[in-house]
Amino acid sequence: MYLVQRDDVWLASPYRKPGEKPISHQTDEHLARKERVAKDSEDRDCHAGIESQTTDGHARLDVRINGAP
């Protein structure tokens, strides 16, 4: 385990040391699905963002969809 500081909060991270680039454990299929969901949402006039922070900043969403058709 490593301690990683994000926005003045220290978090435990099993995957990297402070300052190292994050390691992606997401499969190509998972990444393609995120892109598909975002594109389909945009096609329906809803703004979509990939890897968006939650409003409280404590989590990261695969895809955030704002608005409804």
Side-chain angles (χ1 to χ4, degrees):
M1 289 298 255
Y2 303 102
L3 287 178
V4 178
Q5 187 177 16
R6 292 186 185 151
D7 299 321
D8 297 323
V9 176
W10 286 93
L11 305 168
S13 173
Y15 302 115
R16 64 185 174 118
K17 296 178 183 175
E20 288 183 340
K21 186 176 179 181
I23 299 170
S24 176
H25 294 285
Q26 298 180 2
T27 64
D28 290 340
E29 181 181 42
H30 181 78
L31 295 171
R33 285 182 180 169
K34 290 193 304 188
E35 291 286 337
R36 174 73 185 267
V37 168
K39 183 183 179 323
D40 286 350
S41 298
E42 294 282 346
D43 289 347
R44 288 166 178 76
D45 297 324
C46 296
H47 175 72
I50 296 175
E51 298 295 330
S52 298
Q53 285 290 120
T54 57
T55 54
D56 64 7
H58 288 107
R60 187 174 54 193
L61 305 172
D62 278 346
V63 181
R64 174 193 295 272
I65 302 169
N66 297 320

